[in-house]
Amino acid sequence: MSTHVTLTATEGPFEGQEFVFGEHTLCTLGRAHDCQLCLSTDVPDLTISRRHCLLEVDAPWVRVHDLGSRNGTYINGEKVGQRTGLRPQELPIATRPRTLHDGDLLRIGTLVFHVVITSDSDDRSNDAAEPADFAPAVCC
């Protein structure tokens, strides 16, 4: 059985691009060039932090952790994390992760990603309980 998580940019400078994850992956998203998914362009979008959020993919399960972004991370219009202080040094190392589901919209700055979770088999469902060893990640 093969399960894939696809993020398709529906708004912003990456509109139309797809990013596919098929195996256990920790992926930082942000403007920094050392992010696994670097969201930098010729004209930087300053609504996106250098290290904005972390995707924890263990298909079909996906979690997002805000990494203390200045403008927050949103799932279906709901803010799921943001810096509380003015300086990144005041941030906790990890934030409470939020699970993404098939059809969700993930917004990071002006970028919006549509989340699609597909499987070759109906044996595993995204609504099933997450595995016990799917612990929150600590990054940076």
Side-chain angles (χ1 to χ4, degrees):
M1 173 184 68
S2 175
T3 303
H4 292 82
V5 175
T6 304
L7 299 181
T8 303
T10 60
E11 293 180 31
F14 293 91
E15 186 173 348
Q17 290 188 27
E18 291 187 345
F19 304 93
V20 181
F21 305 91
E23 56 188 48
H24 183 75
T25 305
L26 294 177
C27 178
T28 53
L29 286 75
R31 290 189 343 257
H33 292 288
D34 62 346
C35 288
Q36 286 83 6
L37 186 49
C38 179
L39 303 174
S40 185
T41 59
D42 291 338
V43 178
D45 180 350
L46 299 179
T47 63
I48 300 172
S49 296
R50 285 175 287 196
R51 286 181 183 71
H52 198 100
C53 64
L54 173 77
L55 282 182
E56 184 179 8
V57 180
D58 190 9
W61 298 281
V62 185
R63 289 187 183 182
V64 63
H65 306 252
D66 185 272
L67 296 176
S69 65
R70 184 182 324 175
N71 295 305
T73 301
Y74 295 80
I75 300 173
N76 300 324
E78 176 189 352
K79 186 183 291 184
V80 297
Q82 180 177 17
R83 180 182 306 171
T84 56
L86 297 177
R87 293 184 295 229
Q89 298 91 312
E90 299 171 2
L91 299 173
I93 292 175
T95 60
R96 181 174 166 246
R98 296 294 296 264
T99 301
L100 295 172
H101 301 282
D102 186 50
D104 281 349
L105 295 177
L106 172 65
R107 183 165 67 86
I108 301 165
T110 60
L111 296 174
V112 176
F113 294 99
H114 179 243
V115 178
V116 175
I117 302 171
T118 56
S119 176
D120 294 351
S121 170
D122 293 329
D123 293 341
R124 285 175 80 179
S125 166
N126 191 35
D127 295 329
E130 293 174 353
D133 62 349
F134 193 59
V138 176
C139 175
C140 311

